Amino acid sequence: MNKKYTIITYGCQMNHHDSERIAYLLESLGYSPEKDLEKSDFIIYNTCLVRENAELKVYGQLGSLKALKKQKPNIIIAVCGCMMQTGNARETIISKYKHVDIIFGTKNISRLPSLIARHRSTGEVVVDIEEADIIDDDTPINRNHPFIAYVNIMTGCNNYCTFCIVPYARGKEISRTPDSIIREIKDLAKRGYKEIILLGQNVNSYGKTLRPKVTFPELLKMVNDIDGIERIRFLTSHPKDCSDELIDAIANLDKVCENIHLPFQSGSNKVLKNMHRVYTREHYLNTIRKLKEKIPNITLSTDIIVGFPGETEEDFKETLSLVKEVEYDQGFTFLYSIRKGTKAAEMKDQIPHEVKQERFQRLIDSMYEIFYKKNKADVGKVLEVLVEGTSKNNPEVLTGRTRGYKLVHFVGGKRNIGHLVNVRITGNNSFALEGEII
Ligand code: SAH
Ligand code: SF4
Ligand code: F3S
């Protein structure tokens, strides 16, 4: 009988990429993908716990699966990902969601087939968490996309920003060897992949654990030399490690896109210090100045947290003024969310929700206005777009991204999908451009 699986993924690109491995493993066991949970034989949640709402969604959805499990006792329900890697959330799932059959963490995905076999033979709940800091770069990947590929270059994080749970969920920073990365990308190039997105929690510190050491700009150069690859992107960069070499690599390597995601989190030096971000506002702005000087068409995006413990109106105004000074093209704003086990969770002066919400609103109003202005400045330009597919709302309209990662909608034939085309930009809003193919 044809068995079906559904994967529900929360969190960052890293988690989405892990889900591509899970998909490979399930398909190798004979499962095929299914969107409708009710028709599925294997339902798996790949979870995130970076903010409380990501966690709450999983509990809500798991709760609503109870009835389905009663109706179809043979379906397997699994939960994996960052939530399972920390004790609190894992214990909650084990004790309160008895209909969950398999639980595993972020570092033992490749063991999934044996966990399924164990559950099948015993009928018991199987819990398997790997605590050791290892990087699993052997499991094959069932890629979601035919010409854009995520490639993990490292795992974990050593920075321990005081608000952040990621180091507890993903462990110590470990880099993959350049050999293994380059082999994977050469194979992708052979199979027609055009865009590579290199992934790590802090890609700028890539290579520190390797002997001999390799720097991230050196890795970029190696990837840039691979024939067939047209575009290289990378996520995420930490401002403390955004070196002149990296800026030069973006400026000089032809395939590296002129775009950087550089989360600053707060514009106030006092808050940055309490966040343990290790850079100052002045250092960050100096990096941005160098990026703009050396790469005139650079596009910039960021992450910002509002309402970190102790953030005053004055501190918040420094965040607002930084946003106005840098003029980001894109950005993500988050309400500070208390994460048990982190230092900031213990800090006094937690900010009331209404204050966070009010600051959040002012910040996004200001950011959307800037995004609009930055997008408007592209009107009239001809930009290279990698055509990704058709618009969800209108099959006549194609969508793709510029090198600067801006989303573009334009009319054109489906034959363009997967190709680089030139598009004259004719209109914009805060989040996308509109154009015509030339
Ligand atoms: N490694 C990346 C970020 C990973 S988490 C980096 O350092 O840039 C993605 C974003 O989630 C962070 O940049 C931060 O803005 C946000 N975030 C992390 N923990 C948070 C928390 N406790 N509350 C609100 N936002 C948080
Ligand atoms: Fe979290 Fe900071 Fe590491 Fe990013 S650098 S994953 S924000 S601890
Ligand atoms: Fe979330 Fe884990 Fe990514 S906590 S943001 S899925 S590393």
Side-chain angles (χ1 to χ4, degrees):
M1 208 188 77
N2 184 12
K3 291 202 177 271
K4 308 234 170 79
Y5 74 91
T6 311
I7 308 181
I8 301 112
T9 309
Y10 290 98
C12 62
Q13 280 85 354
M14 203 91 58
N15 250 21
H16 285 268
H17 188 44
D18 284 346
S19 289
E20 295 182 315
R21 289 176 196 271
I22 294 168
Y24 174 88
L25 294 168
L26 291 172
E27 293 192 19
S28 69
L29 295 175
Y31 286 90
S32 56
E34 169 61 55
K35 289 206 174 88
D36 185 350
L37 290 181
E38 309 218 336
K39 292 187 188 149
S40 200
D41 304 285
F42 188 99
I43 301 173
I44 177 162
Y45 286 89
N46 189 2
T47 62
C48 167
L49 80 166
V50 78
R51 283 172 293 276
E52 189 184 21
N53 52 7
E55 212 178 326
L56 294 181
K57 271 189 204 147
V58 171
Y59 296 132
Q61 296 196 356
L62 274 180
S64 67
L65 283 186
K66 254 183 205 157
L68 184 64
K69 179 83 177 177
K70 262 208 181 117
Q71 259 174 38
K72 285 176 70 181
N74 286 336
I75 70 174
I76 299 179
I77 300 176
V79 185
C80 67
C82 290
M83 267 171 76
M84 296 305 93
Q85 206 67 41
T86 60
N88 299 334
R90 187 168 66 234
E91 290 314 318
T92 305
I93 300 282
I94 295 174
S95 60
K96 299 209 177 123
Y97 297 82
K98 303 269 188 210
H99 55 301
V100 172
D101 303 297
I102 299 176
I103 288 171
F104 60 101
T106 52
K107 300 174 191 177
N108 52 351
I109 292 171
S110 56
R111 297 211 286 261
L112 178 58
S114 66
L115 303 182
I116 295 176
R118 221 159 88 199
H119 171 69
R120 281 242 173 83
S121 68
T122 62
E124 311 229 309
V125 179
V126 173
V127 181
D128 187 43
I129 308 294
E130 176 62 63
E131 300 288 352
D133 290 314
I134 46 173
I135 186 158
D136 169 15
D137 53 359
D138 290 334
T139 321
I141 297 153
N142 197 341
R143 296 193 178 271
N144 284 331
H145 204 283
F147 47 87
I148 300 175
Y150 290 128
V151 174
N152 260 350
I153 62 166
M154 59 205 297
T155 178
C157 180
N158 291 350
N159 290 320
Y160 290 93
C161 302
T162 56
F163 52 81
C164 184
I165 197 78
V166 170
Y168 306 92
R170 292 271 170 177
K172 285 222 171 63
E173 183 183 294
I174 310 175
S175 298
R176 263 177 92 183
T177 63
D179 281 359
S180 167
I181 297 169
I182 298 302
R183 208 177 319 121
E184 181 176 339
I185 300 176
K186 279 189 174 158
D187 177 59
L188 288 166
K190 261 194 231 139
R191 288 159 49 203
Y193 278 82
K194 296 223 160 67
E195 183 170 309
I196 298 296
I197 307 174
L198 304 173
L199 293 182
Q201 289 300 349
N202 178 12
V203 291
N204 312 146
S205 71
Y206 170 78
K208 283 186 184 154
T209 54
L210 296 172
R211 294 290 173 276
K213 271 193 192 167
V214 185
T215 66
F216 183 58
E218 284 164 357
L219 179 73
L220 282 177
K221 166 90 177 56
M222 291 180 229
V223 181
N224 197 72
D225 287 341
I226 299 175
D227 286 339
I229 299 301
E230 311 259 13
R231 289 176 165 191
I232 304 165
R233 304 187 188 281
F234 53 87
L235 280 171
T236 296
S237 302
H238 194 300
K240 80 180 163 63
D241 301 310
C242 183
S243 63
D244 290 348
E245 290 74 31
L246 176 65
I247 298 173
D248 289 339
I250 306 172
N252 300 330
L253 298 172
D254 59 326
K255 295 175 187 172
V256 176
C257 291
E258 298 75 18
N259 169 245
I260 189 165
H261 181 65
L262 205 56
F264 75 90
Q265 315 297 2
S266 168
S268 147
N269 280 334
K270 179 195 93 194
V271 176
L272 285 173
K273 188 153 183 267
N274 293 337
M275 287 178 163
H276 187 57
R277 289 291 287 184
V278 203
Y279 52 84
T280 59
R281 173 192 179 92
E282 292 71 29
H283 175 271
Y284 183 88
L285 285 172
N286 193 34
T287 305
I288 296 286
R289 183 186 54 74
K290 285 192 267 186
L291 280 160
K292 286 182 176 174
E293 256 170 37
K294 290 197 175 160
I295 314 156
N297 53 347
I298 187 95
T299 56
L300 299 161
S301 72
T302 198
D303 291 342
I304 308 168
I305 294 179
V306 297
F308 184 81
E311 182 189 75
T312 62
E313 174 64 21
E314 285 315 306
D315 295 322
F316 174 67
K317 281 198 176 127
E318 296 213 56
T319 294
L320 271 181
S321 81
L322 194 146
V323 160
K324 286 186 183 142
E325 186 167 341
V326 174
E327 299 201 313
Y328 292 96
D329 298 273
Q330 279 159 354
F332 304 92
T333 305
F334 306 108
L335 296 183
Y336 168 69
S337 171
I338 298 178
R339 304 286 65 207
K340 222 172 161 183
T342 63
K343 274 200 175 154
E346 308 298 322
M347 288 179 186
K348 291 189 297 255
D349 302 330
Q350 297 285 339
I351 306 296
H353 183 76
E354 312 76 69
V355 176
K356 287 185 198 167
Q357 193 61 49
E358 189 262 346
R359 288 180 189 163
F360 178 83
Q361 196 55 48
R362 276 153 72 199
L363 182 58
I364 59 171
D365 287 348
S366 167
M367 291 188 71
Y368 292 174
E369 210 178 290
I370 295 167
F371 300 163
Y372 184 88
K373 178 179 157 194
K374 294 298 292 283
N375 282 349
K376 180 105 188 145
D378 283 335
V379 174
K381 288 183 189 164
V382 173
L383 298 176
E384 181 202 274
V385 173
L386 176 58
V387 188
E388 292 184 21
T390 54
S391 151
K392 276 186 212 124
N393 310 325
N394 181 353
E396 307 291 306
V397 173
L398 296 175
T399 67
R401 294 213 181 244
T402 66
R403 285 176 65 94
Y405 207 61
K406 291 193 180 179
L407 188 64
V408 190
H409 302 291
F410 53 101
V411 174
K414 282 190 177 163
R415 65 183 182 285
N416 293 301
I417 295 173
H419 295 280
L420 292 169
V421 297
N422 285 319
V423 175
R424 187 187 312 283
I425 306 303
T426 54
N428 72 289
N429 60 29
S430 288
F431 310 103
L433 304 173
E434 215 175 78
E436 50 199 26
I437 201 163
I438 54 170

